């Protein structure tokens, strides 16, 4: 693991790191904030998954999480959203919603994407081991959150591993990718036309098929221009209500899809996670 940069912030250390990934077959970047702590202590970790077009840098630079992570004693980990580098397949038309920056947190089965696009394995298996080897994390106290495509990733990974992730939250998540254009394009491109495979990466479908968790927190801006066509939080609300999952869904008046929205409510989410960690 190569240290790209470290900076002191709120008594802790914000680092950016690079390593050769066996899951993706590429170099991968990620950021980790470690709050101040006593020597030898282990700390709970919050995983943050970013959205379309983003890298680890978006939340690292705009998320405004470090002050509260220092106060609450939370490690904050932010992976990239897709493999990158020479030879990594991209959208053939150069669109932003597929290919580079748009890994959708699945393990692709379709060529040419199956060679590198293995973000599910990277986020759930490889990177947690690397982080545990290099940082003072308590592997029994982990939670996960994300934004947009990363909200989709947080929901699906959290639902798939309810014993590992003690809390799950999201900002403006794609809750039912099988039912919206972004998700249909990505799932078809990465997984093919097998709709059964799609259901394993669709939070609403996973709940319908028996996945459960203790509680969910979702914040959604009412002025988000993707709300009605791509996000559809009412579908998650209906699925949770049908099976008794405790969903707290806040529709925040006037907020859009940007990091101005995320940074405004980041503290609420971190406190919610800390209570459960």
């Amino acid at each position: 693991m190569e240290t790209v940069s470290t900076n002191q912030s709120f008594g802790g250390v914000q680092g950016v790191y690079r390593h050769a990934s066996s899951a993706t077959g590429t170099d991968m970047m990620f950021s980790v904030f470690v709050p101040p702590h006593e020597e030898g202590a282990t700390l709970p970790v919050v995983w943050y998954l970013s959205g379309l077009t983003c890298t680890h840098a978006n939340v690292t630079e705009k998320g405004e999480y470090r002050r509260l992570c220092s106060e609450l004693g939370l490690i904050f980990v932010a992976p990239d959203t897709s493999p990158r580098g020479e030879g990594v397949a991209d959208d053939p038309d150069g669109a932003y919603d597929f290919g580079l920056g748009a890994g959708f947190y699945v393990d692709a089965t379709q060529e040419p994407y199956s060679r590198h696009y293995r973000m599910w394995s990277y986020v759930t298996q490889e990177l947690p081991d690397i982080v545990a080897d290099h940082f003072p994390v308590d592997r029994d106290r982990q939670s996960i959150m994300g934004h947009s495509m990363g909200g989709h990733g947080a929901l699906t990974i959290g639902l798939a591993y309810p014993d590992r992730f003690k809390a799950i939250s999201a900002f403006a998540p794609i809750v039912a990718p099988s039912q919206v254009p972004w998700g249909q394009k990505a799932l078809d491109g990465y997984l093919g036309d097998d709709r059964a495979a799609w259901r394993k990466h669709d939070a609403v479908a996973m709940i319908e098929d028996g996945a459960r968790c203790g509680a969910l927190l979702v914040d959604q801006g009412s002025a988000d221009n993707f709300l009605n066509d791509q996000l559809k939080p009412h579908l998650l609300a209906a699925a949770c209500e049908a099976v008794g999952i405790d969903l707290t869904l806040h529709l925040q008046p006037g907020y859009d899809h940007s990091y101005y929205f995320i940074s405004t409510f980041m503290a609420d989410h971190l406190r919610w996670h800390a209570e459960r960690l």
Side-chain angles (χ1 to χ4, degrees):
M1 189 182 75
E2 174 191 352
T3 300
V4 177
S5 64
T6 57
N7 298 91
Q8 185 163 317
S9 182
F10 295 104
V13 176
Q14 176 65 67
V16 176
Y17 307 93
R18 179 187 294 112
H19 73 107
S21 167
S22 59
T24 68
T26 67
D27 283 353
M28 296 293 290
M29 300 267 284
F30 64 98
S31 75
V32 180
F33 177 72
V34 179
H37 60 282
E38 295 183 1
E39 186 175 354
T42 58
L43 305 173
V45 57
V46 177
W47 294 84
Y48 179 94
L49 305 184
S50 295
L52 288 167
T53 75
C54 292
T55 70
H56 68 282
N58 296 75
V59 70
T60 305
E61 297 170 1
K62 301 176 184 178
E64 299 185 22
Y65 56 83
R66 280 173 285 269
R67 180 190 294 275
L68 197 56
C69 282
S70 286
E71 294 177 7
L72 298 173
L74 299 174
I75 291 176
F76 192 96
V77 181
D80 201 348
T81 52
S82 74
R84 302 176 193 271
E86 186 176 352
V88 176
D90 197 3
D91 184 280
D93 299 320
Y96 75 93
D97 56 357
F98 188 77
L100 297 181
F104 264 83
Y105 304 101
V106 303
D107 284 352
T109 59
Q110 304 300 299
E111 294 292 345
Y113 305 101
S114 58
R115 180 180 176 189
H116 297 296
Y117 284 79
R118 298 185 55 81
M119 291 301 295
W120 180 275
S121 291
Y122 178 69
V123 169
T124 65
Q125 299 172 30
E126 183 179 16
L127 190 56
D129 288 341
I130 291 171
V131 169
D133 286 344
H134 292 87
F135 302 94
V137 303
D138 184 339
R139 297 198 71 160
D140 293 326
R141 292 190 293 162
Q142 297 189 60
S143 67
I144 193 164
M145 64 193 302
H147 169 232
S148 193
M149 178 186 73
H152 141 76
L155 292 173
T156 55
I157 291 172
L159 286 166
Y161 295 95
D163 294 333
R164 182 193 301 185
F165 297 105
K166 310 303 182 186
I168 309 167
S169 75
F171 302 100
I174 306 170
V175 303
S178 300
Q179 301 185 50
V180 300
W182 276 345
Q184 290 166 347
K185 178 178 180 178
L187 296 178
D188 183 66
Y190 294 134
L191 303 177
D193 59 6
D194 180 4
R195 292 281 177 142
W198 291 21
R199 295 185 70 82
K200 298 177 182 178
H201 295 283
D202 180 310
V204 168
M206 291 175 71
I207 292 170
E208 292 173 349
D209 293 345
R212 298 292 183 267
C213 64
L216 297 172
L217 171 64
V218 172
D219 273 85
Q220 171 65 61
S222 68
D224 189 324
N225 58 320
F226 302 117
L227 173 59
N228 295 322
D229 294 335
Q230 304 284 8
L231 306 178
K232 300 182 183 292
H234 66 280
L235 298 177
L236 180 65
C240 289
E241 182 178 7
V243 301
I245 292 176
D246 180 10
L247 168 66
T248 301
L249 174 60
H250 295 139
L251 187 64
Q252 303 291 0
Y255 283 90
D256 57 20
H257 200 69
S258 72
Y259 268 87
Y260 295 107
F261 158 62
I262 296 167
S263 62
T264 300
F265 300 102
M266 177 65 79
D268 295 343
H269 283 242
L270 291 174
R271 290 190 182 96
W272 192 82
H273 283 254
E275 290 173 359
R276 288 154 179 80
L277 292 171

